[in-house]
Amino acid sequence: MAEHRSMQRRALLDAARSLLSEGGTEALTFPALAQRTGLARSSVYEYFRSRAAVVEELCAVDFPVWAAEIEAAMERAATPEAKIEAYVRSQLGLVGDRRHRAVVAISASELDAGAREKIRAAHGGLVAMIVEALAALGQEQPRLAAMLLQGVVDAAVRRIELGAAEDPSVVTETAVAMALRGVRG
């Protein structure tokens, strides 16, 4: 029975990823989840109390995988500059990835404060990795620089997500150039 429940939960999370990837947060509704998984709507409520709870769980499952990919890219980089470039590029490279949709959807307003706090804490681990590289480059305020750098990444993510006029590769190259010029001061 427990295994069956865990399979249904995984199916719901997969359906949620697809819905987020196809239509953003608005597309993630309980009727849509029920339809995608063939479960009754009342069954969906047995697993999740709200849309925020679905997104929160997706983040708990997907964020560590996403962060590990970014961390691996940074570890392969030899210099602090290359680490920063890997940090920016790997995050932007994951924008089209279905698992990233949940991470992007967290900025959606219907998330409750608890969910947002958990996600911010998870993001903090990622930011801590970049603080070290910034300190190695001689940044006097590496934590502040890391937060501002993440702001550039977040803006680029939104630009790509919106399907802006520029090609995603142009957004990525511009963000990388801004990041590298900025961290050199």
Side-chain angles (χ1 to χ4, degrees):
M1 183 65 197
E3 192 170 317
H4 177 68
R5 278 189 70 78
S6 120
M7 273 171 59
Q8 285 189 331
R9 190 173 205 95
R10 269 200 308 275
L12 283 164
L13 290 175
D14 270 339
R17 277 186 202 97
S18 296
L19 290 164
L20 282 168
S21 142
E22 289 157 23
T25 330
E26 300 75 52
L28 180 61
T29 64
F30 279 33
L33 280 172
Q35 191 184 354
R36 285 283 165 104
T37 53
L39 292 169
R41 202 186 312 185
S42 59
S43 298
V44 178
Y45 281 99
E46 286 175 31
Y47 291 92
F48 299 105
R49 68 188 185 287
S50 64
R51 286 178 1 152
V54 177
V55 174
E56 193 177 336
E57 178 140 345
L58 265 180
C59 288
V61 171
D62 294 353
F63 200 95
V65 176
W66 186 73
E69 286 176 34
I70 295 164
E71 196 167 358
M74 287 178 71
E75 281 169 1
R76 286 191 298 273
T79 64
E81 276 102 342
K83 285 185 190 310
I84 287 159
E85 181 169 348
Y87 178 79
V88 175
R89 266 188 207 288
S90 53
Q91 285 191 69
L92 297 180
L94 289 167
V95 174
D97 188 320
R98 281 172 65 233
R99 286 164 314 156
H100 185 257
R101 296 294 164 165
V103 181
V104 170
I106 59 187
S107 59
S109 53
E110 77 272 0
L111 276 185
D112 58 59
R116 275 202 301 271
E117 201 36 61
K118 274 190 191 144
I119 287 143
R120 251 197 302 280
H123 219 272
L126 205 49
V127 171
M129 291 172 7
I130 204 70
V131 170
E132 209 174 299
L134 290 164
L137 283 174
Q139 275 287 330
E140 285 176 30
Q141 298 278 335
R143 275 210 89 65
L144 174 62
M147 285 178 225
L148 297 175
L149 174 62
Q150 188 58 47
V152 169
V153 174
D154 292 343
V157 165
R158 277 192 299 278
R159 195 92 194 134
I160 294 169
E161 284 280 331
L162 288 169
E166 309 88 6
D167 190 81
S169 65
V170 172
V171 177
T172 300
E173 293 313 315
T174 305
V176 167
M178 284 187 72
L180 291 177
R181 278 200 298 270
V183 298
R184 288 188 193 115

